[in-house]
Amino acid sequence: MRSLVLLDAPSNLGLRPPAPGTVPGVYKLAGALRDQGLLARLGAREGGVVVPPRYDRGDWKEGDGVFHADALAAYTVTLADRIERHLRAGEFPVVLGGDCSIQLGASLAMRRLGRYGLAAIDGSADFRHPGNEDVNGPVGAAGGEELALATGRGQAALADLEGRSPYLRDEDVRLFGVRDGDADLAELRAAGIRVATVGEIRERGAGPAARTALDGLRPPAAAGFWVHLDADVLDPSVMPAVDSPDPGGLLPDELAELLGVLVNSPRCVGVNVTIYDPDLDPDGRAGALLADLVAGAFR
């Protein structure tokens, strides 16, 4: 039986301010899900908090690269230290973010241990890098770039920590729930990254899509894989409390089936949850749904 440990990584360093003079509210995600009784519902051990640096972009301006780069690099290493410790102890970390840049901590931790893959459930590919700025705009927010960084694309200060670039090989990445018209689809597939869009998941069924995609993420090629769950994979009709509520997302039953197959695979070694912003969820319904989906996946 798995030994789950619940760990908070409440970093918002990878997102742009929602309005001048404000900071992204995703740092409240962990507290909001814990208020839904997630620790007890998972039967998890308490893992504590990896406290992030202060959100302060200083005099950063467009063209300066990734903002908070030094703070993000330091935080990624600290988070990786904690995740690595749990993985070496045979525990299964459930990491509550935070924005999507926390995925880098998990990817670095796994890279220290060997070759692992990533199953990313995300409404967008988060694949912005200097080579596709003509399509995606200039780099800046790591929360929209973490997959590119984890696969060795982009600013070396984040993409090559400890000289371990890439943390993930392209062929070991699986993407689920990207919107069908995502501008990065052609580039992703050309790189060998396997993608199941919302339409494809609907056509094939969430469970079959997940099981098929896991082919290859097994020894001797990969020792296992991590699940990255971004709340914006859900349609905004049920999950409006995200920074980019794009239409055409998965519905709760579809995500429940997909997530259940992935986290219950014996090769899955951990999961993180990101992007839900309690500041955008005044009645708490979206947070309650997300907690239900995370807790329900482990039944």
Side-chain angles (χ1 to χ4, degrees), residues 2 92 214 217 224-225 259-269:
R2 279 177 170 161
F92 186 103
L214 292 183
L217 294 183
F225 65 92
L259 186 60
V261 170
L262 294 174
V263 302
N264 287 296
S265 166
R267 287 171 279 148
C268 183
V269 298

Side-chain angles (χ1 to χ4, degrees), residues 26-270:
V26 293
Y27 72 93
K28 302 176 184 178
L29 180 156
L33 295 195
R34 284 176 175 272
D35 282 349
Q36 295 289 332
L38 193 59
L39 181 69
R41 292 166 72 182
L42 291 173
R45 184 175 72 78
E46 176 58 68
V49 182
V50 181
V51 179
R54 180 172 176 264
Y55 189 99
D56 182 2
R57 300 199 304 168
D59 58 359
W60 179 90
K61 59 184 182 302
E62 296 289 350
D64 287 347
V66 178
F67 57 77
H68 290 139
D70 290 343
L72 279 162
Y75 189 68
T76 296
V77 170
T78 301
L79 180 57
D81 290 345
R82 187 79 70 89
I83 292 173
E84 180 187 3
R85 188 186 318 157
H86 293 305
L87 294 178
R88 288 189 181 278
E91 296 178 311
F92 186 103
V94 178
V95 183
L96 303 178
D99 70 69
C100 292
S101 65
I102 69 164
Q103 181 260 97
L104 293 171
S107 294
L108 178 59
M110 292 188 296
R111 179 67 178 85
R112 291 171 177 172
L113 300 177
R115 179 176 171 183
Y116 285 79
L118 178 75
I121 310 172
D122 200 327
S124 59
D126 293 349
F127 203 62
R128 185 191 305 113
H129 59 84
N132 62 23
E133 288 180 306
D134 56 331
V135 175
N136 292 323
V139 299
E145 301 160 18
E146 86 283 346
L147 182 58
L149 291 165
T151 54
R153 298 166 172 89
Q155 205 161 311
L158 292 169
D160 193 25
L161 290 166
E162 303 174 353
R164 297 183 187 272
S165 179
Y167 315 134
L168 303 167
R169 301 189 190 193
D170 292 344
E171 62 266 32
D172 295 338
V173 176
R174 309 289 187 267
L175 270 173
F176 303 92
V178 173
R179 304 306 195 252
D180 290 83
D182 192 286
D184 293 323
L185 283 174
E187 183 183 3
L188 290 162
R189 286 173 167 152
I193 294 173
R194 293 168 62 177
V195 186
T197 67
V198 172
E200 290 164 346
I201 289 171
R202 232 159 242 162
E203 180 180 350
R204 297 165 57 194
R211 283 186 283 270
T212 300
L214 292 183
D215 290 345
L217 294 183
R218 65 176 72 246
F225 65 92
W226 183 275
V227 172
H228 166 74
L229 172 60
D230 182 332
D232 73 11
V233 76
L234 286 164
D235 192 80
S237 63
V238 294
M239 179 53 69
V242 297
D243 64 317
S244 297
D246 296 327
L250 294 177
L251 298 176
D253 287 351
E254 295 168 327
L255 177 55
E257 183 177 359
L258 178 66
L259 186 60
V261 170
L262 294 174
V263 302
N264 287 296
S265 166
R267 287 171 279 148
C268 183
V269 298

